[in-house]
Amino acid sequence: MKPFPALLIAALWSLPALSALAQTNDAPTTVSLDAAALRDLPRQRAQMNVHGQSLDCTGVSLTDLLQHAGAMPTTPLRGPALARVVDVQATDGYRVVFSLGELEAGLGKTQVILADQCQGKPLDAHEGPLRLIVPGDGRPARSVRQVTRITVRSP
């Protein structure tokens, strides 16, 4: 059985000091994702109402981040890649899951932003240092605050 691509992101409170491990076949590759690396990815803006508060946030597309780290192909998903899931975990253990298929622009087209700023300011300790914003969701259940880990795996 071949190992599946995996991405593990550990967020440190001095945002954003991140590191990632992307594994493709038998060759693990470490990708550094510090503040400069996140700044190099295209910035996205997303607005969402979260528990009665209107948020206007900026960050990077989760899809762009996963592709940059090698955990999601840049070509259309096919075959086994369609079964891969993205598991996002928060400081308190709260977790949500997305399929790679729903994140791909040609399939599900779900916009997910890994935000580091809302209302024009860096996120505070209660919200950040990173949080997901999923503006297409009917309620904010997958807009995880205090993101600590993102893992891409096969079920």
Side-chain angles (χ1 to χ4, degrees):
M1 183 169 147
K2 288 185 180 179
F4 50 86
L7 170 69
L8 176 62
I9 298 176
L12 303 176
W13 289 109
S14 59
L15 175 72
L18 304 177
S19 64
L21 176 65
Q23 185 171 336
T24 305
N25 297 328
D26 295 325
T29 304
T30 301
V31 180
S32 291
L33 297 174
D34 56 14
L38 288 180
R39 280 192 301 269
D40 289 343
L41 292 172
R43 299 288 292 178
Q44 303 278 330
R45 181 178 176 194
Q47 297 172 326
M48 184 173 191
N49 188 347
V50 176
H51 306 297
Q53 179 183 8
S54 180
L55 295 181
D56 183 3
C57 302
T58 58
V60 298
S61 160
L62 182 59
T63 300
D64 288 347
L65 180 63
L66 297 176
Q67 288 175 340
H68 175 77
M72 180 177 182
T74 57
T75 57
L77 294 172
R78 296 189 188 332
L82 288 169
R84 293 189 186 124
V85 295
V86 180
D87 182 346
V88 180
Q89 187 170 350
T91 301
D92 63 1
Y94 188 79
R95 295 170 73 176
V96 298
V97 176
F98 299 88
S99 72
L100 281 189
E102 75 180 293
L103 298 176
E104 185 189 296
L107 288 174
K109 303 179 184 182
T110 301
Q111 181 188 25
V112 181
I113 302 300
L114 185 63
D116 57 1
Q117 294 184 10
C118 287
Q119 316 313 78
K121 296 182 274 187
L123 297 174
D124 62 23
H126 177 72
E127 295 294 319
L130 300 169
R131 88 166 289 150
L132 287 186
I133 300 294
V134 191
D137 281 359
R139 57 189 181 90
R142 296 192 301 176
S143 291
V144 179
R145 61 185 177 83
Q146 298 179 330
V147 171
T148 58
R149 183 178 300 164
I150 301 172
T151 307
V152 177
R153 58 182 168 76
S154 293

